[in-house]
Amino acid sequence: MEAGRVREISTSMIRRMFEIVEKAKREGRDIVSLTIGEPDFSTPKEVIERACRAMREGFTHYTSNLGIEELRSAIAEEYGVSKDEVMVTAGGSEALLNASLAFIEEGSKVVIPSPSFLSYFTYAKICGARVSEIRTHETGFVPNPEIFAEIMDRNVSVVFLNYPNNPTGAVIDRRSAEEIVKIAADYGAVVISDEIYDKIYYDKKPVSLVNHENVVAVNGFSKSLAMTGWRIGFVIAEETLLNSMLKIHQVNGVCAPAFAQKAVAEVMLSGEFKRLVSSMVSEFRKRRDFVYGELSKLYWTVKPEGAFYMFMDVRENCIKFAETLISYGVAVTPGTAFGSWNENFVRISYANSMENLRKAVERIKGYYDSKEAHGR
Ligand code: PLP
């Protein structure tokens, strides 16, 4: 029954972890989940109140496929582009699928740095492409342009980049990112730059790759305004690329929720956006400093410069580690969910309260000590 294009897509490992955690909770065990992929903060009241008002004012219907003018203009201003280069989508995920369907040629190659967000692998499969991964473990979890150049060929249709990165929190520097974009352009490949975490950074400011003719920048408000359930994202690309994606968007997401578009536009235009993001980021920074400070004494990792994840080398099979850690009261995501060479890594999400993070760190130390006592 199932179409070939989805036959190889697996959800089993994530489901398995989910079921293990649920079972432990049903048994009344206290589990701190460090698997969460969204801010633990509520959507700011500044957004909610405006959305309620917008609903009452009738923002409950279709909008233009491209999004309401007010929001497109606000985004264009924020990123220094023309509003004709902005399309609002139903979340970052819809934008990623639109871009994948628009630019990944069947039978072509898709380049994905490892580790990376699992969805990119799924998009490549849906589009019938082969994946070519670049290992980044020895280069600070960012792709090295020289290694990138070696694996490029004319068969590559799309390259995914995601900085700040899920699952590592790594941020690429401008020079390397632009070099990669240039090499991709030389081979006629489109770069899908997933910049969804661009507002959540600590000391190293992420680069936006907008304003390059072969780049589609994907973004949204799921993370920056803690709005994952509202489904509001956007893409920035030059008009020819945008028109290709519009062909998919018009039959896929169609438009993002009207009231959400209106509320976000008003928050951006009111100047409150920066303040709301920065109060959340300063909280994430405290948590990052604590979690990185404690766990990097036990396990090798790269210091996260953005997002709210950390990727650790636990020096044993990640599934076994994650399953055993449940009995110590902590859930983490096994590294195999993020591409090749990650069998000994786990992702920690610190989008959780300091109280829970303290508990989790103590429990991980407990596991580490017992393992040391048994000679690993
Ligand atoms: N891109 C990355 C790297 C993500 O981590 C996520 C969500 O976890 C998304 C995109 C999807 O965002 P959205 O909820 O806006 O679809």
Side-chain angles (χ1 to χ4, degrees), residues 37-38 90-96 116-117 119-120 123 162 164-166 194-197 218-223 227-229 231-233 308-309 347:
E38 60 177 339
S93 301
E94 200 237 333
L96 287 168
S116 266
F117 183 44
S119 300
Y120 309 146
Y123 298 133
N162 165 229
N165 177 264
N166 173 8
D194 180 347
E195 302 176 3
I196 196 114
Y197 295 102
V218 169
N219 211 320
F221 300 95
S222 296
K223 318 286 175 172
M227 294 179 67
T228 46
R231 312 314 301 142
I232 177 149
F308 36 74
Y309 309 109
R347 185 188 76 175

PDB file of all heavy atoms in Angstrom, residues 37-38 90-96 116-117 119-120 123 162 164-166 194-197 218-223 227-229 231-233 308-309 347, ligand 1:
ATOM      1  N   GLY A  37      12.558  19.623  21.793  1.00  0.00           N
ATOM      2  CA  GLY A  37      13.084  20.421  20.677  1.00  0.00           C
ATOM      3  C   GLY A  37      12.400  21.761  20.552  1.00  0.00           C
ATOM      4  O   GLY A  37      12.265  22.291  19.455  1.00  0.00           O
ATOM      5  N   GLU A  38      11.940  22.310  21.659  1.00  0.00           N
ATOM      6  CA  GLU A  38      11.283  23.623  21.588  1.00  0.00           C
ATOM      7  C   GLU A  38      11.524  24.374  22.889  1.00  0.00           C
ATOM      8  O   GLU A  38      11.764  23.750  23.931  1.00  0.00           O
ATOM      9  CB  GLU A  38       9.786  23.463  21.337  1.00  0.00           C
ATOM     10  CG  GLU A  38       9.071  22.685  22.420  1.00  0.00           C
ATOM     11  CD  GLU A  38       7.559  22.604  22.192  1.00  0.00           C
ATOM     12  OE1 GLU A  38       7.021  23.440  21.454  1.00  0.00           O
ATOM     13  OE2 GLU A  38       6.940  21.706  22.772  1.00  0.00           O
ATOM     14  N   ALA A  90       3.725  27.887   6.574  1.00  0.00           N
ATOM     15  CA  ALA A  90       3.141  27.279   7.779  1.00  0.00           C
ATOM     16  C   ALA A  90       4.250  26.583   8.574  1.00  0.00           C
ATOM     17  O   ALA A  90       4.364  25.355   8.591  1.00  0.00           O
ATOM     18  CB  ALA A  90       2.035  26.309   7.384  1.00  0.00           C
ATOM     19  N   GLY A  91       5.107  27.372   9.195  1.00  0.00           N
ATOM     20  CA  GLY A  91       6.237  26.843   9.968  1.00  0.00           C
ATOM     21  C   GLY A  91       7.473  26.659   9.100  1.00  0.00           C
ATOM     22  O   GLY A  91       7.395  26.688   7.851  1.00  0.00           O
ATOM     23  N   GLY A  92       8.613  26.508   9.780  1.00  0.00           N
ATOM     24  CA  GLY A  92       9.870  26.271   9.066  1.00  0.00           C
ATOM     25  C   GLY A  92       9.822  24.956   8.302  1.00  0.00           C
ATOM     26  O   GLY A  92      10.368  24.840   7.199  1.00  0.00           O
ATOM     27  N   SER A  93       9.144  23.968   8.857  1.00  0.00           N
ATOM     28  CA  SER A  93       9.103  22.649   8.213  1.00  0.00           C
ATOM     29  C   SER A  93       8.439  22.709   6.845  1.00  0.00           C
ATOM     30  O   SER A  93       8.883  22.053   5.901  1.00  0.00           O
ATOM     31  CB  SER A  93       8.344  21.647   9.086  1.00  0.00           C
ATOM     32  OG  SER A  93       8.964  21.546  10.338  1.00  0.00           O
ATOM     33  N   GLU A  94       7.365  23.498   6.744  1.00  0.00           N
ATOM     34  CA  GLU A  94       6.715  23.598   5.433  1.00  0.00           C
ATOM     35  C   GLU A  94       7.667  24.252   4.431  1.00  0.00           C
ATOM     36  O   GLU A  94       7.757  23.831   3.280  1.00  0.00           O
ATOM     37  CB  GLU A  94       5.412  24.407   5.521  1.00  0.00           C
ATOM     38  CG  GLU A  94       4.491  24.139   4.340  1.00  0.00           C
ATOM     39  CD  GLU A  94       4.075  25.351   3.524  1.00  0.00           C
ATOM     40  OE1 GLU A  94       4.030  26.473   4.064  1.00  0.00           O
ATOM     41  OE2 GLU A  94       3.791  25.183   2.331  1.00  0.00           O
ATOM     42  N   ALA A  95       8.388  25.260   4.902  1.00  0.00           N
ATOM     43  CA  ALA A  95       9.350  25.940   4.029  1.00  0.00           C
ATOM     44  C   ALA A  95      10.428  24.950   3.560  1.00  0.00           C
ATOM     45  O   ALA A  95      10.827  24.951   2.386  1.00  0.00           O
ATOM     46  CB  ALA A  95       9.993  27.099   4.779  1.00  0.00           C
ATOM     47  N   LEU A  96      10.890  24.093   4.470  1.00  0.00           N
ATOM     48  CA  LEU A  96      11.936  23.122   4.112  1.00  0.00           C
ATOM     49  C   LEU A  96      11.413  22.120   3.083  1.00  0.00           C
ATOM     50  O   LEU A  96      12.119  21.765   2.124  1.00  0.00           O
ATOM     51  CB  LEU A  96      12.421  22.373   5.363  1.00  0.00           C
ATOM     52  CG  LEU A  96      13.291  23.172   6.338  1.00  0.00           C
ATOM     53  CD1 LEU A  96      13.465  22.421   7.652  1.00  0.00           C
ATOM     54  CD2 LEU A  96      14.662  23.475   5.727  1.00  0.00           C
ATOM     55  N   SER A 116      23.249  16.509  11.734  1.00  0.00           N
ATOM     56  CA  SER A 116      22.249  17.486  11.297  1.00  0.00           C
ATOM     57  C   SER A 116      20.849  17.035  11.705  1.00  0.00           C
ATOM     58  O   SER A 116      20.635  15.864  11.998  1.00  0.00           O
ATOM     59  CB  SER A 116      22.261  17.615   9.775  1.00  0.00           C
ATOM     60  OG  SER A 116      23.076  18.665   9.350  1.00  0.00           O
ATOM     61  N   PHE A 117      19.939  17.982  11.635  1.00  0.00           N
ATOM     62  CA  PHE A 117      18.512  17.756  11.898  1.00  0.00           C
ATOM     63  C   PHE A 117      18.003  16.628  11.003  1.00  0.00           C
ATOM     64  O   PHE A 117      18.212  16.640   9.784  1.00  0.00           O
ATOM     65  CB  PHE A 117      17.810  19.080  11.562  1.00  0.00           C
ATOM     66  CG  PHE A 117      16.342  19.164  11.811  1.00  0.00           C
ATOM     67  CD1 PHE A 117      15.765  18.673  12.969  1.00  0.00           C
ATOM     68  CD2 PHE A 117      15.513  19.791  10.878  1.00  0.00           C
ATOM     69  CE1 PHE A 117      14.398  18.807  13.192  1.00  0.00           C
ATOM     70  CE2 PHE A 117      14.152  19.931  11.089  1.00  0.00           C
ATOM     71  CZ  PHE A 117      13.594  19.434  12.247  1.00  0.00           C
ATOM     72  N   SER A 119      15.227  15.750   9.717  1.00  0.00           N
ATOM     73  CA  SER A 119      14.280  15.977   8.617  1.00  0.00           C
ATOM     74  C   SER A 119      14.968  16.098   7.253  1.00  0.00           C
ATOM     75  O   SER A 119      14.404  15.712   6.239  1.00  0.00           O
ATOM     76  CB  SER A 119      13.471  17.244   8.861  1.00  0.00           C
ATOM     77  OG  SER A 119      12.762  17.130  10.048  1.00  0.00           O
ATOM     78  N   TYR A 120      16.203  16.626   7.210  1.00  0.00           N
ATOM     79  CA  TYR A 120      16.859  16.805   5.906  1.00  0.00           C
ATOM     80  C   TYR A 120      17.027  15.460   5.200  1.00  0.00           C
ATOM     81  O   TYR A 120      16.897  15.358   3.988  1.00  0.00           O
ATOM     82  CB  TYR A 120      18.238  17.476   6.047  1.00  0.00           C
ATOM     83  CG  TYR A 120      18.245  18.744   6.872  1.00  0.00           C
ATOM     84  CD1 TYR A 120      19.342  19.081   7.659  1.00  0.00           C
ATOM     85  CD2 TYR A 120      17.159  19.612   6.858  1.00  0.00           C
ATOM     86  CE1 TYR A 120      19.360  20.239   8.424  1.00  0.00           C
ATOM     87  CE2 TYR A 120      17.164  20.768   7.625  1.00  0.00           C
ATOM     88  CZ  TYR A 120      18.263  21.064   8.409  1.00  0.00           C
ATOM     89  OH  TYR A 120      18.273  22.205   9.174  1.00  0.00           O
ATOM     90  N   TYR A 123      13.653  14.550   3.761  1.00  0.00           N
ATOM     91  CA  TYR A 123      13.316  15.292   2.539  1.00  0.00           C
ATOM     92  C   TYR A 123      14.053  14.688   1.339  1.00  0.00           C
ATOM     93  O   TYR A 123      13.489  14.548   0.257  1.00  0.00           O
ATOM     94  CB  TYR A 123      13.684  16.783   2.669  1.00  0.00           C
ATOM     95  CG  TYR A 123      12.933  17.501   3.770  1.00  0.00           C
ATOM     96  CD1 TYR A 123      13.595  18.331   4.673  1.00  0.00           C
ATOM     97  CD2 TYR A 123      11.556  17.352   3.912  1.00  0.00           C
ATOM     98  CE1 TYR A 123      12.904  18.993   5.691  1.00  0.00           C
ATOM     99  CE2 TYR A 123      10.866  18.006   4.929  1.00  0.00           C
ATOM    100  CZ  TYR A 123      11.544  18.816   5.814  1.00  0.00           C
ATOM    101  OH  TYR A 123      10.861  19.451   6.814  1.00  0.00           O
ATOM    102  N   ASN A 162      22.744  24.377   8.447  1.00  0.00           N
ATOM    103  CA  ASN A 162      21.885  24.760   9.580  1.00  0.00           C
ATOM    104  C   ASN A 162      22.755  25.248  10.746  1.00  0.00           C
ATOM    105  O   ASN A 162      23.272  24.460  11.511  1.00  0.00           O
ATOM    106  CB  ASN A 162      21.028  23.537   9.994  1.00  0.00           C
ATOM    107  CG  ASN A 162      20.370  23.691  11.357  1.00  0.00           C
ATOM    108  OD1 ASN A 162      20.434  22.800  12.202  1.00  0.00           O
ATOM    109  ND2 ASN A 162      19.735  24.814  11.592  1.00  0.00           N
ATOM    110  N   PRO A 164      22.791  28.498  13.759  1.00  0.00           N
ATOM    111  CA  PRO A 164      23.139  27.558  14.809  1.00  0.00           C
ATOM    112  C   PRO A 164      22.507  26.181  14.543  1.00  0.00           C
ATOM    113  O   PRO A 164      21.373  26.102  14.080  1.00  0.00           O
ATOM    114  CB  PRO A 164      22.552  28.179  16.072  1.00  0.00           C
ATOM    115  CG  PRO A 164      22.440  29.637  15.770  1.00  0.00           C
ATOM    116  CD  PRO A 164      22.184  29.741  14.313  1.00  0.00           C
ATOM    117  N   ASN A 165      23.273  25.160  14.883  1.00  0.00           N
ATOM    118  CA  ASN A 165      22.932  23.803  14.472  1.00  0.00           C
ATOM    119  C   ASN A 165      22.144  23.026  15.530  1.00  0.00           C
ATOM    120  O   ASN A 165      22.410  23.106  16.714  1.00  0.00           O
ATOM    121  CB  ASN A 165      24.252  23.070  14.154  1.00  0.00           C
ATOM    122  CG  ASN A 165      24.054  21.619  13.770  1.00  0.00           C
ATOM    123  OD1 ASN A 165      24.168  20.735  14.617  1.00  0.00           O
ATOM    124  ND2 ASN A 165      23.768  21.362  12.525  1.00  0.00           N
ATOM    125  N   ASN A 166      21.183  22.282  15.035  1.00  0.00           N
ATOM    126  CA  ASN A 166      20.529  21.243  15.818  1.00  0.00           C
ATOM    127  C   ASN A 166      21.147  19.955  15.294  1.00  0.00           C
ATOM    128  O   ASN A 166      21.011  19.692  14.103  1.00  0.00           O
ATOM    129  CB  ASN A 166      19.008  21.282  15.541  1.00  0.00           C
ATOM    130  CG  ASN A 166      18.271  20.134  16.183  1.00  0.00           C
ATOM    131  OD1 ASN A 166      18.831  19.376  16.955  1.00  0.00           O
ATOM    132  ND2 ASN A 166      16.989  20.000  15.853  1.00  0.00           N
ATOM    133  N   ASP A 194      19.076  26.677   6.739  1.00  0.00           N
ATOM    134  CA  ASP A 194      18.036  26.643   7.774  1.00  0.00           C
ATOM    135  C   ASP A 194      18.517  27.503   8.945  1.00  0.00           C
ATOM    136  O   ASP A 194      19.385  27.109   9.712  1.00  0.00           O
ATOM    137  CB  ASP A 194      17.811  25.184   8.189  1.00  0.00           C
ATOM    138  CG  ASP A 194      16.743  25.025   9.260  1.00  0.00           C
ATOM    139  OD1 ASP A 194      16.341  26.041   9.866  1.00  0.00           O
ATOM    140  OD2 ASP A 194      16.332  23.884   9.497  1.00  0.00           O
ATOM    141  N   GLU A 195      17.942  28.700   9.044  1.00  0.00           N
ATOM    142  CA  GLU A 195      18.404  29.690  10.031  1.00  0.00           C
ATOM    143  C   GLU A 195      17.394  29.871  11.168  1.00  0.00           C
ATOM    144  O   GLU A 195      17.331  30.926  11.794  1.00  0.00           O
ATOM    145  CB  GLU A 195      18.696  31.007   9.292  1.00  0.00           C
ATOM    146  CG  GLU A 195      19.734  30.799   8.200  1.00  0.00           C
ATOM    147  CD  GLU A 195      20.026  32.030   7.329  1.00  0.00           C
ATOM    148  OE1 GLU A 195      19.462  33.109   7.583  1.00  0.00           O
ATOM    149  OE2 GLU A 195      20.846  31.888   6.386  1.00  0.00           O
ATOM    150  N   ILE A 196      16.653  28.799  11.443  1.00  0.00           N
ATOM    151  CA  ILE A 196      15.554  28.890  12.412  1.00  0.00           C
ATOM    152  C   ILE A 196      16.018  29.282  13.829  1.00  0.00           C
ATOM    153  O   ILE A 196      15.252  29.832  14.602  1.00  0.00           O
ATOM    154  CB  ILE A 196      14.745  27.570  12.417  1.00  0.00           C
ATOM    155  CG1 ILE A 196      13.385  27.746  13.102  1.00  0.00           C
ATOM    156  CG2 ILE A 196      15.484  26.423  13.083  1.00  0.00           C
ATOM    157  CD1 ILE A 196      12.217  27.605  12.220  1.00  0.00           C
ATOM    158  N   TYR A 197      17.288  28.995  14.143  1.00  0.00           N
ATOM    159  CA  TYR A 197      17.799  29.355  15.476  1.00  0.00           C
ATOM    160  C   TYR A 197      18.623  30.643  15.458  1.00  0.00           C
ATOM    161  O   TYR A 197      19.386  30.907  16.387  1.00  0.00           O
ATOM    162  CB  TYR A 197      18.662  28.208  16.040  1.00  0.00           C
ATOM    163  CG  TYR A 197      17.873  26.939  16.306  1.00  0.00           C
ATOM    164  CD1 TYR A 197      17.927  25.865  15.424  1.00  0.00           C
ATOM    165  CD2 TYR A 197      17.077  26.814  17.436  1.00  0.00           C
ATOM    166  CE1 TYR A 197      17.193  24.699  15.658  1.00  0.00           C
ATOM    167  CE2 TYR A 197      16.342  25.654  17.678  1.00  0.00           C
ATOM    168  CZ  TYR A 197      16.410  24.610  16.791  1.00  0.00           C
ATOM    169  OH  TYR A 197      15.680  23.472  17.024  1.00  0.00           O
ATOM    170  N   VAL A 218      15.736  29.593   5.222  1.00  0.00           N
ATOM    171  CA  VAL A 218      14.498  29.155   5.885  1.00  0.00           C
ATOM    172  C   VAL A 218      14.528  29.656   7.320  1.00  0.00           C
ATOM    173  O   VAL A 218      15.555  29.564   7.997  1.00  0.00           O
ATOM    174  CB  VAL A 218      14.407  27.608   5.855  1.00  0.00           C
ATOM    175  CG1 VAL A 218      13.281  27.109   6.759  1.00  0.00           C
ATOM    176  CG2 VAL A 218      14.215  27.113   4.425  1.00  0.00           C
ATOM    177  N   ASN A 219      13.402  30.179   7.778  1.00  0.00           N
ATOM    178  CA  ASN A 219      13.374  30.708   9.130  1.00  0.00           C
ATOM    179  C   ASN A 219      11.944  30.633   9.658  1.00  0.00           C
ATOM    180  O   ASN A 219      11.063  30.064   8.998  1.00  0.00           O
ATOM    181  CB  ASN A 219      13.911  32.158   9.121  1.00  0.00           C
ATOM    182  CG  ASN A 219      14.610  32.512  10.413  1.00  0.00           C
ATOM    183  OD1 ASN A 219      14.168  32.134  11.490  1.00  0.00           O
ATOM    184  ND2 ASN A 219      15.719  33.233  10.309  1.00  0.00           N
ATOM    185  N   GLY A 220      11.713  31.213  10.819  1.00  0.00           N
ATOM    186  CA  GLY A 220      10.362  31.189  11.381  1.00  0.00           C
ATOM    187  C   GLY A 220      10.377  31.678  12.810  1.00  0.00           C
ATOM    188  O   GLY A 220      11.418  32.052  13.342  1.00  0.00           O
ATOM    189  N   PHE A 221       9.205  31.650  13.422  1.00  0.00           N
ATOM    190  CA  PHE A 221       9.069  32.187  14.777  1.00  0.00           C
ATOM    191  C   PHE A 221       8.845  31.100  15.821  1.00  0.00           C
ATOM    192  O   PHE A 221       8.615  31.393  16.989  1.00  0.00           O
ATOM    193  CB  PHE A 221       7.942  33.228  14.790  1.00  0.00           C
ATOM    194  CG  PHE A 221       8.229  34.361  13.845  1.00  0.00           C
ATOM    195  CD1 PHE A 221       7.733  34.360  12.546  1.00  0.00           C
ATOM    196  CD2 PHE A 221       9.065  35.400  14.233  1.00  0.00           C
ATOM    197  CE1 PHE A 221       8.048  35.383  11.659  1.00  0.00           C
ATOM    198  CE2 PHE A 221       9.384  36.425  13.354  1.00  0.00           C
ATOM    199  CZ  PHE A 221       8.878  36.417  12.060  1.00  0.00           C
ATOM    200  N   SER A 222       8.915  29.829  15.382  1.00  0.00           N
ATOM    201  CA  SER A 222       8.676  28.716  16.311  1.00  0.00           C
ATOM    202  C   SER A 222       9.605  28.791  17.506  1.00  0.00           C
ATOM    203  O   SER A 222       9.189  28.592  18.645  1.00  0.00           O
ATOM    204  CB  SER A 222       8.905  27.385  15.607  1.00  0.00           C
ATOM    205  OG  SER A 222       7.976  27.213  14.575  1.00  0.00           O
ATOM    206  N   LYS A 223      10.888  29.072  17.230  1.00  0.00           N
ATOM    207  CA  LYS A 223      11.885  29.052  18.299  1.00  0.00           C
ATOM    208  C   LYS A 223      12.064  30.443  18.896  1.00  0.00           C
ATOM    209  O   LYS A 223      12.129  30.599  20.108  1.00  0.00           O
ATOM    210  CB  LYS A 223      13.231  28.539  17.773  1.00  0.00           C
ATOM    211  CG  LYS A 223      13.134  27.332  16.837  1.00  0.00           C
ATOM    212  CD  LYS A 223      12.807  26.034  17.539  1.00  0.00           C
ATOM    213  CE  LYS A 223      12.614  24.911  16.513  1.00  0.00           C
ATOM    214  NZ  LYS A 223      12.484  23.593  17.091  1.00  0.00           N
ATOM    215  N   MET A 227       6.813  29.730  19.598  1.00  0.00           N
ATOM    216  CA  MET A 227       5.497  29.616  18.949  1.00  0.00           C
ATOM    217  C   MET A 227       5.383  28.334  18.118  1.00  0.00           C
ATOM    218  O   MET A 227       4.784  28.353  17.037  1.00  0.00           O
ATOM    219  CB  MET A 227       5.285  30.818  18.011  1.00  0.00           C
ATOM    220  CG  MET A 227       5.174  32.144  18.714  1.00  0.00           C
ATOM    221  SD  MET A 227       4.958  33.505  17.548  1.00  0.00           S
ATOM    222  CE  MET A 227       3.332  33.171  16.879  1.00  0.00           C
ATOM    223  N   THR A 228       5.923  27.234  18.608  1.00  0.00           N
ATOM    224  CA  THR A 228       5.945  26.010  17.774  1.00  0.00           C
ATOM    225  C   THR A 228       4.552  25.556  17.348  1.00  0.00           C
ATOM    226  O   THR A 228       4.389  24.990  16.269  1.00  0.00           O
ATOM    227  CB  THR A 228       6.652  24.861  18.511  1.00  0.00           C
ATOM    228  OG1 THR A 228       6.146  24.810  19.841  1.00  0.00           O
ATOM    229  CG2 THR A 228       8.153  25.050  18.563  1.00  0.00           C
ATOM    230  N   GLY A 229       3.554  25.808  18.197  1.00  0.00           N
ATOM    231  CA  GLY A 229       2.208  25.330  17.854  1.00  0.00           C
ATOM    232  C   GLY A 229       1.438  26.259  16.928  1.00  0.00           C
ATOM    233  O   GLY A 229       0.336  25.926  16.500  1.00  0.00           O
ATOM    234  N   ARG A 231       2.553  27.538  13.941  1.00  0.00           N
ATOM    235  CA  ARG A 231       2.936  27.240  12.559  1.00  0.00           C
ATOM    236  C   ARG A 231       3.129  28.513  11.737  1.00  0.00           C
ATOM    237  O   ARG A 231       2.308  28.858  10.871  1.00  0.00           O
ATOM    238  CB  ARG A 231       1.916  26.292  11.878  1.00  0.00           C
ATOM    239  CG  ARG A 231       1.542  25.074  12.681  1.00  0.00           C
ATOM    240  CD  ARG A 231       2.732  24.358  13.302  1.00  0.00           C
ATOM    241  NE  ARG A 231       3.700  23.911  12.327  1.00  0.00           N
ATOM    242  CZ  ARG A 231       5.021  23.951  12.534  1.00  0.00           C
ATOM    243  NH1 ARG A 231       5.540  24.413  13.661  1.00  0.00           N
ATOM    244  NH2 ARG A 231       5.831  23.513  11.612  1.00  0.00           N
ATOM    245  N   ILE A 232       4.195  29.187  12.042  1.00  0.00           N
ATOM    246  CA  ILE A 232       4.510  30.383  11.270  1.00  0.00           C
ATOM    247  C   ILE A 232       6.009  30.475  10.995  1.00  0.00           C
ATOM    248  O   ILE A 232       6.818  30.597  11.902  1.00  0.00           O
ATOM    249  CB  ILE A 232       3.873  31.646  11.916  1.00  0.00           C
ATOM    250  CG1 ILE A 232       4.246  32.904  11.155  1.00  0.00           C
ATOM    251  CG2 ILE A 232       4.185  31.798  13.369  1.00  0.00           C
ATOM    252  CD1 ILE A 232       3.180  33.946  11.229  1.00  0.00           C
ATOM    253  N   GLY A 233       6.319  30.320   9.716  1.00  0.00           N
ATOM    254  CA  GLY A 233       7.709  30.354   9.266  1.00  0.00           C
ATOM    255  C   GLY A 233       7.816  31.253   8.041  1.00  0.00           C
ATOM    256  O   GLY A 233       6.851  31.900   7.651  1.00  0.00           O
ATOM    257  N   PHE A 308      19.546  25.492  21.640  1.00  0.00           N
ATOM    258  CA  PHE A 308      19.517  25.076  23.063  1.00  0.00           C
ATOM    259  C   PHE A 308      19.839  23.602  23.194  1.00  0.00           C
ATOM    260  O   PHE A 308      19.206  22.882  23.957  1.00  0.00           O
ATOM    261  CB  PHE A 308      18.173  25.450  23.712  1.00  0.00           C
ATOM    262  CG  PHE A 308      16.981  25.317  22.788  1.00  0.00           C
ATOM    263  CD1 PHE A 308      16.471  24.071  22.430  1.00  0.00           C
ATOM    264  CD2 PHE A 308      16.377  26.459  22.262  1.00  0.00           C
ATOM    265  CE1 PHE A 308      15.391  23.956  21.577  1.00  0.00           C
ATOM    266  CE2 PHE A 308      15.290  26.352  21.381  1.00  0.00           C
ATOM    267  CZ  PHE A 308      14.793  25.104  21.047  1.00  0.00           C
ATOM    268  N   TYR A 309      20.835  23.184  22.387  1.00  0.00           N
ATOM    269  CA  TYR A 309      21.253  21.786  22.408  1.00  0.00           C
ATOM    270  C   TYR A 309      22.753  21.665  22.639  1.00  0.00           C
ATOM    271  O   TYR A 309      23.515  22.581  22.317  1.00  0.00           O
ATOM    272  CB  TYR A 309      20.969  21.117  21.059  1.00  0.00           C
ATOM    273  CG  TYR A 309      19.573  21.295  20.548  1.00  0.00           C
ATOM    274  CD1 TYR A 309      19.321  22.122  19.449  1.00  0.00           C
ATOM    275  CD2 TYR A 309      18.513  20.626  21.140  1.00  0.00           C
ATOM    276  CE1 TYR A 309      18.034  22.282  18.958  1.00  0.00           C
ATOM    277  CE2 TYR A 309      17.216  20.777  20.646  1.00  0.00           C
ATOM    278  CZ  TYR A 309      16.983  21.603  19.553  1.00  0.00           C
ATOM    279  OH  TYR A 309      15.718  21.760  19.065  1.00  0.00           O
ATOM    280  N   ARG A 347      22.168  13.804  22.164  1.00  0.00           N
ATOM    281  CA  ARG A 347      21.808  15.224  22.201  1.00  0.00           C
ATOM    282  C   ARG A 347      21.107  15.524  23.517  1.00  0.00           C
ATOM    283  O   ARG A 347      20.202  14.809  23.934  1.00  0.00           O
ATOM    284  CB  ARG A 347      20.856  15.589  21.046  1.00  0.00           C
ATOM    285  CG  ARG A 347      20.565  17.092  21.014  1.00  0.00           C
ATOM    286  CD  ARG A 347      19.480  17.453  20.009  1.00  0.00           C
ATOM    287  NE  ARG A 347      18.159  17.103  20.500  1.00  0.00           N
ATOM    288  CZ  ARG A 347      17.024  17.393  19.877  1.00  0.00           C
ATOM    289  NH1 ARG A 347      17.057  18.008  18.698  1.00  0.00           N
ATOM    290  NH2 ARG A 347      15.863  17.042  20.385  1.00  0.00           N
TER     291      ARG A 347
HETATM  292  N1  PLP B   1      14.802  23.330  11.471  1.00  0.00           N
HETATM  293  C1  PLP B   1      15.413  22.887  12.566  1.00  0.00           C
HETATM  294  C2  PLP B   1      16.896  22.796  12.582  1.00  0.00           C
HETATM  295  C3  PLP B   1      14.671  22.491  13.683  1.00  0.00           C
HETATM  296  O1  PLP B   1      15.307  22.053  14.774  1.00  0.00           O
HETATM  297  C4  PLP B   1      13.264  22.569  13.618  1.00  0.00           C
HETATM  298  C5  PLP B   1      12.441  22.106  14.753  1.00  0.00           C
HETATM  299  O2  PLP B   1      12.879  21.432  15.649  1.00  0.00           O
HETATM  300  C6  PLP B   1      12.670  23.040  12.456  1.00  0.00           C
HETATM  301  C7  PLP B   1      13.470  23.419  11.403  1.00  0.00           C
HETATM  302  C8  PLP B   1      11.179  23.103  12.300  1.00  0.00           C
HETATM  303  O3  PLP B   1      10.610  24.250  12.792  1.00  0.00           O
HETATM  304  P1  PLP B   1       9.068  24.503  12.710  1.00  0.00           P
HETATM  305  O4  PLP B   1       8.467  24.095  14.014  1.00  0.00           O
HETATM  306  O5  PLP B   1       8.919  25.976  12.475  1.00  0.00           O
HETATM  307  O6  PLP B   1       8.506  23.707  11.593  1.00  0.00           O
END
